[in-house]
Amino acid sequence: MKTLSALLVLLCCSTVTREGLAQSTVYTRQHDLLVAAIRHGSTSGVMEGKVAEHFTRQFRSTGPLLVSASVIQSFGRSDCKRLEMVFTKQEVETPRGRTDAVLKSRLNYCLDGSPPIALE
């Protein structure tokens, strides 16, 4: 009975996780993620396409690539911000078992895709 209960709990959790991912914003380009973060202050979702394929090859994992971006500093130009991006590749096999690989980066970015020329 305990085994059946545990199995049902795991099944429910995996269904909730899958439904949560299905409702997430899907990004195929980093530019779209960064623009959304500049416009809204922050954003998150699932990355697909070339970037996700690179992470899949690099980490030998077919788990989803979760991504988020948030504004950490504003500049004189309202269309330019300093952003932090966080990529999380799920279900990465390591010698110690499965885990998430996390890559954080910060960059200055403008809505037109260029970096701010002069920082304030």
Side-chain angles (χ1 to χ4, degrees):
M1 188 66 171
K2 286 184 179 181
T3 305
L4 180 58
S5 296
L7 183 60
L8 289 174
V9 168
L10 287 173
L11 181 59
C12 288
C13 290
S14 67
T15 301
V16 169
T17 301
R18 188 175 59 244
E19 288 175 2
L21 289 175
Q23 295 174 356
S24 293
T25 302
V26 175
Y27 293 100
T28 56
R29 299 182 322 147
Q30 290 182 53
H31 173 77
D32 298 334
L33 172 80
L34 298 172
V35 166
I38 290 171
R39 289 189 174 141
H40 306 291
S42 67
T43 189
S44 63
V46 177
M47 183 67 74
E48 294 182 352
K50 291 182 180 184
V51 173
E53 290 168 8
H54 178 75
F55 273 79
T56 296
R57 281 191 308 274
Q58 182 69 32
F59 293 104
R60 297 182 191 105
S61 168
T62 58
L65 177 60
L66 307 181
V67 64
S68 66
S70 57
V71 173
I72 56 174
Q73 184 180 350
S74 295
F75 301 119
R77 289 178 52 188
S78 62
D79 66 327
C80 300
K81 307 285 183 197
R82 180 154 181 83
L83 302 159
E84 180 176 69
M85 290 191 317
V86 180
F87 292 93
T88 305
K89 183 63 174 173
Q90 295 187 316
E91 302 175 17
V92 174
E93 287 289 341
T94 69
R96 294 185 174 189
R98 282 188 180 199
T99 189
D100 293 346
V102 178
L103 172 67
K104 293 182 181 183
S105 64
R106 293 180 174 190
L107 71 155
N108 301 331
Y109 203 77
C110 297
L111 288 176
D112 65 3
S114 67
I117 295 186
L119 299 179
E120 298 178 19

